[in-house]
Amino acid sequence: MEPQGKARTSRCPVARPEAWRSQTLDEWEQRESGRAPAAAEPGEEADGASADGLWELPVEPAERRPECSRCSRPQKVCLCPFLPVHPLHISTHLYIIQHPAEESKVLRTVPLLAACLPQDKCKVKIGRRFSEERDPELSTVCRRSGTLILYPGAEAANLEEFILDSPIYPSTIIIIDGTWSQAKDIFYKNSLFRLPKQVQLKTSISSQYVIRTQPTNRCLSTLECAAVALSILEKNHYIQETLLRPLQALCSFQLQHGAQVRLSKEHLLRNGLYPKPMPKNKRKLRKMELLMNSVKI
């Protein structure tokens, strides 16, 4: 999902005709020079008065709905009843590397995840580029032997198998939050993230984040990835159930108020339901073909 360019909009609430602009400029020059304004032609006085009246009308700024301080949702649709009464007790440190575009999305899941965990165990780092100079803390974390990064790929080990054979039990896990293209950009353009051991999840569960389109049926949201990974590292399946509860409530609420179930691109392509024409770019077309054949990309 590439970000689209935003059209420039005027700060003024009403488009101002060229005649009004020139008239105001003439009056300003006359005042600066000390000359009296020229007499208006018949009919012009009324037009000028009506124009000035429009510009003097107060403009009320759009008010942002009050948000809950815990779940970051609007207070009227607060999801705190579905959060644990107290933050979950975990020993694993979780670092979320969030693409800046995710921060402004209404239906983001990271605030719900953070609300379920202790503040000292869950830290969110927002940005595209990270280095030792810009973030010494993150640099130190990435260099520790007990740190993992959750990112799928040919070099990634299965998390469950890795912890059985690892001489050092992992104490920290890093998860990248963004679209798949954004996550790929962050992973490959930051050398720090190739220092930790790369792991992935091999699970048969399908995403419950049904109000947002995923590339395949097996792709999970950031909250779901964290829920599965923490339940494995902490050896406690209750953690996964607890973290998924607010996500299920969020999707249920949205569906009850007009949202639609978003099928994955894989499902749409394989069933001839994809609403857009196939791309002409060979690389993008190859990805589409892999999705249709259920080949992991």
Side-chain angles (χ1 to χ4, degrees):
M1 295 184 288
E2 298 293 337
Q4 302 294 322
K6 294 182 179 179
R8 296 184 61 186
T9 55
S10 171
R11 295 183 181 180
C12 303
V14 180
R16 195 172 188 181
E18 189 64 33
W20 295 359
R21 290 199 296 269
S22 60
Q23 181 183 16
T24 304
L25 179 60
D26 290 340
E27 292 175 352
W28 178 84
E29 290 177 343
Q30 290 166 355
R31 286 196 298 268
E32 290 296 305
S33 63
R35 293 183 287 114
E41 295 293 332
E44 287 184 353
E45 185 176 353
D47 292 340
S50 62
D52 291 340
L54 285 175
W55 285 102
E56 291 173 359
L57 289 174
V59 178
E60 296 183 2
E63 293 186 3
R64 190 181 182 88
R65 290 186 295 175
E67 290 185 349
C68 172
S69 59
R70 187 182 181 194
C71 68
S72 299
R73 294 276 296 161
Q75 291 180 356
K76 290 186 177 180
V77 288
C78 171
L79 293 176
C80 286
F82 303 95
L83 301 178
V85 177
H86 302 290
L88 294 173
H89 178 71
I90 59 173
S91 59
T92 306
H93 290 81
L94 174 64
Y95 280 80
I96 303 294
I97 308 302
Q98 187 178 73
H99 190 280
E102 286 293 313
E103 187 182 10
S104 60
K105 290 185 177 177
V106 177
L107 300 177
R108 58 196 189 278
T109 62
V110 168
L112 298 177
L113 172 62
C116 295
L117 302 175
Q119 291 184 0
D120 63 330
K121 298 295 185 182
C122 180
K123 292 189 177 182
V124 181
K125 301 276 187 178
I126 302 172
R128 295 183 179 88
R129 302 292 176 262
F130 298 88
S131 65
E132 188 170 356
E133 295 75 20
R134 291 184 178 181
D135 199 321
E137 177 196 1
L138 186 60
S139 175
T140 301
V141 169
C142 288
R143 295 179 189 279
R144 290 175 184 162
S145 57
T147 298
L148 306 175
I149 184 164
L150 186 65
Y151 189 83
E155 299 180 359
N158 178 14
L159 178 58
E160 290 185 280
E161 295 175 358
F162 175 78
I163 61 175
L164 293 176
D165 302 328
S166 176
I168 301 176
Y169 199 83
S171 60
T172 304
I173 188 164
I174 299 171
I175 300 177
I176 302 176
D177 179 48
T179 64
W180 290 96
S181 60
Q182 290 167 352
K184 182 178 180 180
D185 179 74
I186 289 175
F187 181 76
Y188 283 105
K189 292 187 178 179
N190 289 279
S191 58
L192 282 179
F193 298 142
R194 288 189 293 284
L195 296 176
K197 177 63 181 178
Q198 185 180 343
V199 296
Q200 61 187 344
L201 302 174
K202 289 191 177 180
T203 175
S204 59
I205 69 169
S206 297
S207 176
Q208 298 182 42
Y209 195 21
V210 294
I211 56 176
R212 191 167 177 179
T213 303
Q214 303 288 359
T216 75
N217 297 330
R218 299 174 300 280
C219 292
L220 303 179
S221 66
T222 300
L223 184 147
E224 291 170 313
C225 287
V228 176
L230 288 175
S231 67
I232 293 172
L233 292 169
E234 298 289 323
K235 300 178 181 178
N236 184 351
H237 189 72
Y238 171 76
I239 291 176
Q240 180 176 331
E241 295 177 358
T242 303
L243 292 179
L244 292 182
R245 196 173 297 127
L247 176 65
Q248 294 164 350
L250 170 64
C251 293
S252 176
F253 177 84
Q254 294 298 126
L255 292 172
Q256 290 173 12
H257 290 79
Q260 296 182 348
V261 172
R262 302 285 184 177
L263 300 173
S264 69
K265 288 183 180 179
E266 174 190 4
H267 178 90
L268 296 175
L269 286 167
R270 295 185 66 187
N271 291 275
L273 301 174
Y274 193 68
K276 299 179 182 179
M278 297 298 284
K280 296 181 180 180
N281 181 284
K282 291 184 178 180
R283 182 177 61 85
K284 292 182 178 180
L285 184 60
R286 177 58 178 163
K287 284 187 175 182
M288 292 291 196
E289 291 173 348
L290 291 173
L291 283 175
M292 283 189 286
N293 296 319
S294 297
V295 177
K296 191 174 183 179
I297 59 173

